[in-house]
Amino acid sequence: MFPLARALSAQMWAALGGDPARLGRLRLQGEGALPGAFAVSDFAAAAVACAALAADELHGLAPGTRAGDAAAVRVDRRLAALWFAESLRPQGWQAPPARDTLTGDYPCADGWIRLHCNAPHHRAAACRVLGLQARADSVAAAPAVAAWKGVELEQAVVEQGGCAAQMRDAATWSAHVQGAAVRAQPLVLRAEFPAAVAAWSPAAGRPLRGLRVLDMTRVLAGPVSTRMLAGLGATVLRIDPPSWEEPGVVPDVTRGKRCARLDLKTPQGREAFEQLLGGADVFVHGLRPGALDALGLDAATRQGLRPGLVDVCLDAYGWSGPWATRRGFDSLVQMSCGIAEAGMRHAGASRPVPLPVQALDHATGYLIAAAVLRALSQRVQRGVGTHARLSLARSGALLLDAPPPEPREAHAASGEADLEPAIEHTPWGPARRIRAPWSIDGVDTRWELPAAELGSSPARWP
């Protein structure tokens, strides 16, 4: 049943180096599908399944556990699709807008372009290029954008430190030097090396109990990955720079974490970070390639500070090619690689049509979690450290290459029956969580901490 979801699960699991026989422990359910040109529900279920399979594998290494029945891991396609949109339902309040008023798709002289201006410095970069006032909105920006050719505006914004993406079709992206570089990479770039291993082992019931995860990621893939690790019992400490804010997603993605702020460009911040890294088992980061190297914190230095560290990172546009250091987000990658253009053609629309959810972010997030969990299994069994790298663009290539979605009715809208009964107390108000899309026999996946406010915790391990 659900052959496309199973096929995608097998591809992802193989990229993670997983034993194909373990796929027999997976059971899929959940009728319906998200609408559109791509098999997003199956893609979502497959990514969630790989993370759950990896958790099941690690849990099986805990002392006192034994193999259960063949259906140990269960994933609901519908709930996975819902979680790719949101997992938290506010009770009597609304989250702040996730997008800046300048963020959006604009017609340009030869097609379409997307500006991503949610961060203040990205907004400022777009305004400089377009000659706009600091408080400009999309109405003011439209005439200025229309005067530019897409590729020229894209490059100008990027050179100013901003974020933009011209809409390309899949064939154009495949022929593009960066598109070719992305396709030449595996879905998960993995490297193993002998390492002195910290004395940690998985625990029965809560496999990641006692594990320390240092999280230096931003919206949205990285925080999704570490949210799952927190749900499996890990102590997750998220580090943000002093000025960073992402209020639209804080309650959703900080569940179970502690959050602190550090400025790594100061001697005090650098010293504190090195102490944190020296006490970590896992480091998940989403800074652009080369950013940590420029601070003297390259991969070899990180391993020196914490031998056996599981080091997993992500970027937007892949790890080779001229765009390897380019800033990017899910919606920009969809414009670049042909997803938004294919959605427009499929819908017969006159403007870009993105995926119904931010599937590249969420799927990559679950693959990151799976990479961490598989690396921990290998460290426990074989005494090796692991460095793994993933990218939104490479996840997008997998979705682009997947067969078209099987004909299905649309997923039923979420309702009362989909919500957990317990009230969560977030920094902004009470909320209820949508039921998790995965379950693993014998594993407790409840978060032990409420949603955290950014910067609310001290920058030290508890």
Side-chain angles (χ1 to χ4, degrees):
M1 198 173 182
F2 307 116
L4 185 48
R6 289 198 167 277
L8 287 168
S9 299
Q11 285 183 265
M12 294 177 183
W13 189 240
L16 292 158
D19 179 359
R22 188 164 288 275
L23 290 163
R25 296 173 69 80
L26 173 65
R27 292 296 180 271
L28 295 165
Q29 63 187 52
E31 291 300 326
L34 289 173
F38 296 96
V40 174
S41 294
D42 295 297
F43 187 62
V48 170
C50 283
L53 285 168
D56 177 57
E57 176 185 37
L58 181 64
H59 185 248
L61 301 176
T65 60
R66 58 188 179 84
D69 67 52
V73 176
R74 298 170 182 83
V75 173
D76 188 301
R77 293 170 59 261
R78 175 175 167 273
L79 291 176
L82 292 177
W83 268 60
F84 270 42
E86 61 176 357
S87 71
L88 200 66
R89 189 63 51 81
Q91 303 292 294
W93 55 274
Q94 289 185 337
R99 294 178 179 174
D100 181 83
T101 58
L102 206 58
T103 295
D105 300 332
Y106 295 85
C108 53
D110 56 352
W112 286 86
I113 190 168
R114 183 170 183 82
L115 303 180
H116 197 290
C117 305
N118 294 350
H121 56 295
H122 295 161
R123 163 184 258 277
C127 287
R128 284 195 300 272
V129 171
L130 294 168
L132 300 174
Q133 297 297 317
R135 296 182 180 274
D137 59 14
S138 59
V139 174
V145 173
W148 285 77
K149 289 185 176 180
V151 69
E152 293 173 358
L153 179 55
E154 176 186 75
Q155 185 62 30
V157 172
V158 168
E159 288 176 354
Q160 285 291 315
C163 296
Q166 179 191 31
M167 187 178 76
R168 296 169 172 85
D169 61 30
T172 301
W173 178 243
S174 293
H176 191 281
V177 61
Q178 191 60 36
V182 167
R183 286 191 172 276
Q185 298 168 15
L187 181 63
V188 183
L189 282 159
R190 297 163 49 247
E192 294 180 347
F193 43 86
V197 178
W200 175 87
S201 61
R206 294 287 280 168
L208 298 188
R209 180 178 289 120
L211 188 84
R212 289 176 169 180
V213 178
L214 191 59
D215 175 3
M216 191 174 283
T217 63
R218 312 285 176 262
V219 287
L220 188 56
V224 165
S225 72
T226 51
R227 180 181 64 187
M228 182 168 191
L229 300 179
L232 294 167
T235 297
V236 178
L237 179 58
R238 170 174 163 147
I239 299 296
D240 287 292
S243 61
W244 183 262
E245 301 290 343
E246 47 186 36
V249 297
V250 168
D252 201 8
V253 300
T254 59
R255 181 66 170 160
K257 307 177 188 180
R258 295 169 173 85
C259 301
R261 295 190 187 274
L262 280 179
D263 185 350
L264 269 63
K265 295 181 180 179
T266 67
Q268 299 86 349
R270 166 68 180 266
E271 180 181 2
F273 177 77
E274 289 186 0
Q275 290 175 352
L276 290 172
L277 193 62
D281 298 286
V282 175
F283 181 36
V284 182
H285 49 109
L287 302 180
R288 288 186 300 146
L292 285 173
D293 295 24
L295 294 171
L297 291 165
D298 57 75
T301 299
R302 299 194 296 269
Q303 284 294 326
L305 289 167
R306 183 60 163 172
L309 180 73
V310 171
D311 193 316
V312 182
C313 51
L314 76 149
D315 73 355
Y317 284 105
W319 296 90
S320 63
W323 289 15
T325 59
R326 178 171 288 203
R327 298 171 178 86
F329 297 90
D330 181 309
S331 60
L332 296 178
V333 174
Q334 289 191 47
M335 288 287 279
S336 296
C337 74
I339 288 175
E341 190 276 338
M344 182 175 74
R345 283 189 289 105
H346 177 83
S350 59
R351 58 182 300 116
V353 176
L355 300 174
V357 294
Q358 290 184 246
L360 306 187
D361 260 333
H362 285 270
T364 305
Y366 285 104
L367 289 174
I368 292 167
V372 168
L373 293 161
R374 289 235 63 245
L376 290 169
S377 291
Q378 295 305 300
R379 195 173 79 173
V380 169
Q381 291 178 294
R382 298 169 45 226
V384 296
T386 299
H387 183 204
R389 293 175 288 173
L390 301 90
S391 74
L392 302 182
R394 188 58 184 84
S395 297
L398 179 62
L399 183 58
L400 276 163
D401 289 346
E406 299 154 356
R408 296 184 185 277
E409 296 292 328
H411 286 308
S414 61
E416 179 69 21
D418 296 312
L419 301 179
E420 296 283 359
I423 296 289
E424 293 186 13
H425 297 285
T426 78
W428 293 342
R432 291 171 66 188
R433 187 77 53 172
I434 297 174
R435 289 186 296 113
W438 66 86
S439 65
I440 308 165
D441 284 359
V443 176
D444 177 0
T445 59
R446 293 174 296 176
W447 289 285
E448 295 176 343
L449 292 171
E453 292 185 79
L454 296 187
S456 62
S457 299
R460 63 174 182 266
W461 292 112

